[in-house]
Amino acid sequence: MLFISPKRIKGIPNVFSNIPIYGNLSLIFPPAKKWSDSPCLKFYRLSQKYGEVFQVRFGNRLVVVANSYDSIIKLWCCKSVRGNNSRPISETFHNQLSREGIYTIGTTPFGPDYLKMRKFVSSNVLNGKSGKGYNGGVISRETNRLILKLVAKATRKGENEDYFISDDFIRKGQYFHLAVALILTYGYQIDYTASENRLEADEIIYVENQITKIRSHVQNFQDFLPNPFRFLLNVFSGKNSFSRKLYERRKVYLEKYFKFSRENITYPNSAVRRSLMYHYFMDGENCVKRAQMASICLTMVSAGLDNTPLNFKYELHQLSHSPHVCKKAYKELMDGFENDPVKAYQNCHKELKCQYIVAIVKETLRLFTVLPMALPRETTEPITYGTAVIPKGTLLFMNSWAGNHDQNAIYKPMEFIPERFLSSDDDGNDTSSSLKHFAFGIGSRMCLGNHLAFQELYILTCKFLLLFEFQNPEMNKLNPLELNQFPESIAIEPEIFNICLKLRSKEFVNQAMGPREVKFADDVTM
Ligand code: HEM
């Protein structure tokens, strides 16, 4: 395809560029080296000059960018924007990496395939009411395993010989989420304490993390260029061959798990019987095709593998800087379980009962905004914004960082204030908070795993607060963008630092989990 400059949209400010072919791609290339050059901040700075919504040209594509709380609501949630419901096809991700046409749900363009997959996964595992209690049980058990692992490494210090833990939490959080995802999808229980399983988990985490970068709309400027440039740049940068290698590596573990479920379908254990694959073999084959099921499995294994642990780590980091929040959360949690910590620990996974912890999780998701530029959308029919008509085939970028930190909608946006999400204040007065956040996107293609991810974060938070007290933080930076190791990237991945925790009491761990389960380092060496 030759370069054809797209026609600008009337009524939406245009960020002028006279560079042929390239257009405004300097917003994402060369890749940002400093946090202050993160794409979301570059877009935000432009909005100060051009207004909250503007258009840019990326190669031969027009991109409309929304940079405020209100404009995101208008462009993603109103009835007039029904056409904001597809995803763009990109050369590097869709054509090179996913050559068999099997993509995740989140990267599948709108159409019957997409709708079928979304419905199947939603009704059988992610939003299905029947799965909710089961999912909570799985998450609770995996949280216990994570905690047992931490406890086994705890060191004894100080006059009272208390137990202390110091950990970065990202890798352990990834093992935790992967274990939950594999059980729900395949009924496969991975014991990542065994070294060969850990290697397998590390492989999945590495491959999926690299693939996330390949599908990133703010890291692959070549995808916006006309075909010959796109092709040549991918060949010379080695991206094509790297993508193909990742594709082969991914195939190995996905096929292994698929085979596991198929072989265990005749005499299923309870985990297999409750899994998504079981639904597929029992009745789903009539609803979704084999290739669609492969996309669903791919989505289940990859989505949330980084985002959930990254949010959890950031939440722990904020909590270690907010003793008043921890104190209040602990009290509210205990109030809900007649001041019995064992009862609280053993039952907190059953419902999202403690509204203050719900607010902590929402505030973490908002303030952190792990995907500051969300995922891109493509319009399937014209949509209106004010007097402007955005044509079919236009790309829409949500600057969710700017929306989540918009001071016109959010009081002190850079501060961690869970109360902003409560519907009543400390005196019980109705505050009717209807504040939204955009960490999961919003509208027709909002994150399908938001309930699962939220449930994971809620249960982890409850159990950690019940077991541990936060110690002096090792890291003082709190701004997520400033913490980010990869400012050019689609996701915020904070630099490595430890969170320091003190165990409230050894006896309580034994009571909460059963003494036979718990192994402390000093018990083991005795
Ligand atoms: C804290 C963790 C997570 C965050 C912050 C997150 C964030 C997002 C965002 C921003 C989108 C784009 C939404 C939009 O365009 O409006 C998305 C899409 C999606 N997410 Fe998540 N996600 C998380 C966890 C998960 C998990 C655990 C799963 C499933 C197991 C999941 C499955 C999906 C799917 C299927 C889509 C595509 C939806 C569609 O295109 O219809 N996500 N996610």
Side-chain angles (χ1 to χ4, degrees):
M1 190 182 28
L2 287 175
F3 179 74
I4 304 164
S5 191
K7 210 168 146 209
R8 299 303 130 82
I9 303 161
K10 276 195 200 135
I12 293 187
N14 175 40
V15 180
F16 178 73
S17 162
N18 56 6
I19 313 175
I21 302 171
Y22 201 66
N24 305 98
L25 278 168
S26 60
L27 283 160
I28 60 166
F29 190 85
K33 295 238 170 350
K34 308 185 287 218
W35 72 269
S36 53
D37 286 337
S38 310
C40 64
L41 289 183
K42 284 194 179 170
F43 284 114
Y44 171 73
R45 285 195 287 268
L46 281 179
S47 75
Q48 300 300 293
K49 187 170 168 200
Y50 290 90
E52 55 190 353
V53 174
F54 55 75
Q55 56 186 311
V56 291
R57 178 168 62 77
F58 275 11
N60 56 1
R61 301 295 311 262
L62 260 195
V63 187
V64 171
V65 193
N67 296 279
S68 67
Y69 185 91
D70 283 347
S71 64
I72 291 174
I73 302 273
K74 279 187 199 140
L75 270 167
W76 266 257
C77 298
C78 290
K79 279 197 187 119
S80 59
V81 296
R82 258 202 304 265
N84 178 358
N85 60 0
S86 195
R87 305 279 186 201
I89 290 277
S90 80
E91 168 69 22
T92 320
F93 178 74
H94 291 86
N95 296 344
Q96 295 302 325
L97 191 127
S98 323
R99 277 166 304 144
E100 285 170 14
I102 295 171
Y103 330 124
T104 58
I105 300 176
T107 46
T108 301
F110 186 78
D113 274 4
Y114 159 76
L115 289 170
K116 254 189 190 175
M117 292 194 291
R118 187 162 170 127
K119 189 167 169 216
F120 184 77
V121 76
S122 169
S123 51
N124 286 314
V125 68
L126 289 181
N127 287 335
K129 287 205 177 85
S130 57
K132 248 188 176 167
Y134 176 67
N135 294 358
V138 170
I139 296 168
S140 172
R141 207 188 58 208
E142 289 308 320
T143 308
N144 290 352
R145 284 217 292 157
L146 167 65
I147 287 170
L148 289 173
K149 192 127 182 52
L150 290 171
V151 164
K153 292 245 163 82
T155 50
R156 225 165 171 188
K157 287 191 285 208
E159 259 176 43
N160 301 328
E161 301 240 303
D162 288 318
Y163 287 89
F164 291 87
I165 288 156
S166 186
D167 200 280
D168 175 55
F169 281 104
I170 295 296
R171 189 44 63 112
K172 289 196 178 66
Q174 287 165 322
Y175 293 154
F176 155 83
H177 177 80
L178 182 63
V180 171
L182 292 180
I183 293 174
L184 297 184
T185 313
Y186 302 97
Y188 184 90
Q189 315 208 15
I190 187 166
D191 172 15
Y192 50 80
T193 46
S195 62
E196 74 274 18
N197 291 343
R198 217 166 35 244
L199 281 179
E200 183 173 294
D202 289 342
E203 165 75 358
I204 300 174
I205 291 164
Y206 172 78
V207 170
E208 296 302 333
N209 178 279
Q210 293 302 309
I211 290 175
T212 304
K213 292 187 161 86
I214 286 177
R215 71 183 237 196
S216 165
H217 55 308
V218 290
Q219 271 167 284
N220 294 290
F221 82 104
Q222 75 283 356
D223 284 340
F224 298 97
L225 297 176
N227 221 343
F229 295 96
R230 216 187 291 167
F231 179 77
L232 288 174
L233 279 163
N234 268 341
V235 170
F236 286 119
S237 66
K239 279 206 174 184
N240 281 0
S241 63
F242 184 56
S243 302
R244 272 182 236 126
K245 279 188 193 131
L246 290 174
Y247 171 83
E248 295 303 330
R249 286 168 72 170
R250 176 187 248 185
K251 221 170 151 183
V252 174
Y253 50 83
L254 288 177
E255 281 181 1
K256 172 183 160 175
Y257 298 134
F258 199 92
K259 195 163 161 247
F260 166 85
S261 303
R262 203 177 39 214
E263 286 173 359
N264 283 279
I265 233 66
T266 330
Y267 302 107
N269 62 24
S270 63
V272 172
R273 193 174 297 115
R274 301 297 299 262
S275 70
L276 194 57
M277 286 302 289
Y278 189 77
H279 287 289
Y280 168 68
F281 285 121
M282 289 302 130
D283 50 50
E285 278 179 283
N286 301 323
C287 322
V288 286
K289 292 184 236 135
R290 171 77 170 80
Q292 290 166 340
M293 194 57 203
S295 292
I296 291 170
C297 291
L298 190 57
T299 308
M300 288 297 296
V301 173
S302 63
L305 188 51
D306 285 341
N307 293 344
T308 314
L310 289 168
N311 269 288
F312 183 55
K313 163 78 183 271
Y314 187 71
E315 184 190 290
L316 294 178
H317 181 45
Q318 276 293 350
L319 289 177
S320 65
H321 281 267
S322 321
H324 60 290
V325 174
C326 298
K327 207 168 153 198
K328 186 168 169 185
Y330 185 80
K331 183 179 173 308
E332 303 241 335
L333 189 54
M334 293 291 275
D335 284 352
F337 292 96
E338 292 122 27
N339 268 323
D340 179 346
V342 175
K343 196 170 172 191
Y345 190 91
Q346 292 176 348
N347 293 285
C348 61
H349 64 277
K350 294 185 178 157
E351 55 178 319
L352 307 182
K353 195 171 173 180
C354 179
Q355 287 314 301
Y356 194 59
I357 293 182
V358 168
I360 289 177
V361 175
K362 285 188 184 168
E363 178 65 345
T364 302
L365 287 157
R366 177 200 71 81
L367 180 50
F368 186 49
T369 315
V370 62
L371 301 174
M373 289 302 297
L375 298 184
R377 299 277 189 96
E378 185 173 304
T379 54
T380 51
E381 54 185 78
I383 62 178
T384 52
Y385 179 74
T387 55
V389 178
I390 301 171
K392 178 180 169 184
T394 308
L395 294 182
L396 293 181
F397 284 5
M398 175 199 290
N399 189 344
S400 43
W401 175 269
N404 276 344
H405 301 88
D406 181 343
Q407 43 197 352
N408 293 322
I410 293 149
Y411 170 70
K412 294 193 177 169
M414 291 310 292
E415 289 186 22
F416 185 66
I417 310 177
E419 285 75 4
R420 69 174 95 246
F421 283 107
L422 289 178
S423 53
S424 60
D425 64 17
D426 278 349
D427 302 324
N429 303 317
D430 182 11
T431 55
S432 301
S433 169
S434 56
L435 187 67
K436 297 185 192 324
H437 68 79
F438 309 114
F440 291 123
I442 203 156
S444 62
R445 295 204 66 162
M446 183 180 172
C447 174
L448 195 50
N450 74 87
H451 295 292
L452 177 68
F454 202 96
Q455 219 179 350
E456 287 179 305
L457 292 169
Y458 176 89
I459 295 169
L460 284 164
T461 310
C462 291
K463 294 202 175 203
F464 268 63
L465 279 168
L466 287 165
L467 281 179
F468 303 112
E469 279 169 26
F470 289 87
Q471 299 299 289
N472 282 343
E474 217 178 61
M475 162 61 73
N476 282 322
K477 281 186 262 176
L478 282 168
N479 180 338
L481 292 179
E482 218 177 321
L483 279 170
N484 192 4
Q485 291 181 67
F486 307 109
E488 76 287 3
S489 183
I490 183 172
I492 296 181
E493 296 181 49
E495 52 194 84
I496 294 164
F497 63 91
N498 285 336
I499 303 288
C500 307
L501 304 169
K502 187 181 110 189
L503 198 62
R504 287 183 190 271
S505 111
K506 181 179 176 180
E507 289 64 43
F508 175 55
V509 194
N510 286 326
Q511 286 166 354
M513 289 202 236
R516 266 178 304 150
E517 302 253 1
V518 188
K519 297 230 173 348
F520 285 83
D522 50 358
D523 293 343
V524 176
T525 48
M526 266 187 328

